[in-house]
Amino acid sequence: MRDREDKEVTAFVRARYGSLLRTAFLLCGDRGKAEDLVQTTLAKTVVAWSRLQRSEGVDHYVQRILVNTFVSWRRRRSWWEQPLGRLVESQARDEYVGVEQRDLLRRALDGLPARQRAAVVLRFYEDLSEQDTARVLGCSVGTVKSLSSRGLQTLRKQWVEADTVADQEVRYA
């Protein structure tokens, strides 16, 4: 019995690890923290595996654990610790527009509150319906709509501001 469960868990992890890591990265914006988040999520999943197999809700359970763990980590003071020294590199806008846009999006996502960020990532990256997102977040569909709306509004505002700054840099260069 235990060997079968081990094989099922291994197959699940192999199939979903990359997707979970990408979602975790979008949630937390840091590769190391994303790996820790996925590892914690999978550890919690393994503990509940036998119960999950009976209910057919493995993917929703894992997404919910991922988001809940992320939200609880964001509440901790140590989450906000940042190294003091940061290298500022100039980027060639013409050759790396896609890279810059992804970085801008990642930084903009960093500025969102945890639940707004989770709602935006689940709705627009994971492509979950409002109902599925509400189930993962443990809230109502109306809450998902408001969290998503406010999150997108903030992202759009930051995008316009960053675009304006980039245009000014080009003019004065």
Side-chain angles (χ1 to χ4, degrees), residues 7-75:
K7 288 178 183 178
E8 290 172 352
V9 170
T10 301
F12 176 80
V13 170
R14 283 187 178 142
R16 295 284 290 141
Y17 184 81
S19 174
L20 289 170
L21 185 60
R22 286 187 296 275
T23 301
F25 178 78
L26 287 172
L27 288 172
C28 62
D30 179 87
R31 172 106 180 160
K33 288 178 183 175
E35 289 171 349
D36 290 346
L37 182 56
V38 171
Q39 182 177 4
T40 301
T41 299
L42 291 174
K44 291 177 180 181
T45 302
V46 168
V47 170
W49 188 259
S50 61
R51 182 178 36 126
L52 294 174
Q53 289 300 294
R54 285 182 258 129
S55 67
E56 295 294 325
V58 177
D59 285 331
H60 285 293
Y61 176 84
V62 172
Q63 286 175 330
R64 186 170 187 152
I65 293 301
L66 185 75
V67 169
N68 287 347
T69 303
F70 164 71
V71 170
S72 70
W73 282 6
R74 285 285 295 250
R75 289 182 184 136

Side-chain angles (χ1 to χ4, degrees), residues 98-118:
V99 172
E100 287 179 354
Q101 289 177 343
R102 285 190 301 275
D103 184 56
L104 175 61
L105 178 60
R106 185 195 53 77
R107 285 184 280 128
L109 282 170
D110 275 345
L112 294 179
R115 287 181 50 86
Q116 281 183 19
R117 184 175 182 157

